[in-house]
Amino acid sequence: MKTLAVIAALVLVGAGFVFTVNRIGWSEISGKAWAVTYEVTGQGNAPVKISYVENPDRYERDAPQTTSVAGALPWSAEVVINSGQQAEVTATPAGNEALSCRILLDGERVWASATAAPGQAVTCTKVTDE
């Protein structure tokens, strides 16, 4: 009889946990986010204007922030993008250089890549999985 009461108590605790996770949302508890690396390459050596999106805090569901920098090539940055949000990097050359960009997942898997015509801005985007 005691065993049956213990099993019943465990079932109730487990059901309460499942209810809580479903009610709050698992990503809110775990801070689900993606580590991405932005890369910009080109043949020129003049600084290029680069803007990229990042989440400053993987545990907050705030909108991503855009950061703008002037960078020498090759350029890269490691950032965090929360699940379900768009990773994006854009680079604009100072002259007539042809630029390329990539977004890498965990520094290895290519999520997005693009090459622009000489003198044109290049943009790479990818919406992260939930």
Side-chain angles (χ1 to χ4, degrees):
M1 199 60 148
K2 229 179 187 182
T3 305
L4 196 52
V6 169
I7 291 173
L10 289 175
V11 168
L12 286 174
V13 168
F17 176 74
V18 169
F19 174 77
T20 301
V21 168
N22 285 337
R23 186 97 164 107
I24 296 173
W26 186 255
S27 64
E28 296 293 271
I29 293 172
S30 68
K32 186 174 179 182
W34 298 96
V36 300
T37 302
Y38 295 131
E39 293 181 342
V40 177
T41 57
Q43 304 212 333
N45 56 6
V48 296
K49 180 182 171 190
I50 300 167
S51 64
Y52 60 94
V53 174
E54 67 179 321
N55 288 99
D57 186 348
R58 70 178 290 158
Y59 296 103
E60 296 293 325
R61 299 299 292 175
D62 295 335
Q65 295 178 351
T66 300
T67 302
S68 295
V69 297
L73 299 178
W75 175 89
S76 68
E78 295 179 14
V79 302
V80 171
I81 301 294
N82 288 338
S83 63
Q85 295 182 337
Q86 182 166 297
E88 180 176 319
V89 61
T90 298
T92 305
N96 208 25
E97 297 89 9
L99 301 178
S100 296
C101 62
R102 296 192 319 167
I103 299 175
L104 305 174
L105 173 62
D106 294 329
E108 296 176 8
R109 191 173 108 202
V110 178
W111 256 6
S113 64
T115 300
Q120 299 297 309
V122 64
T123 300
C124 288
T125 62
K126 170 69 175 167
V127 175
T128 60
D129 297 334
E130 287 285 337

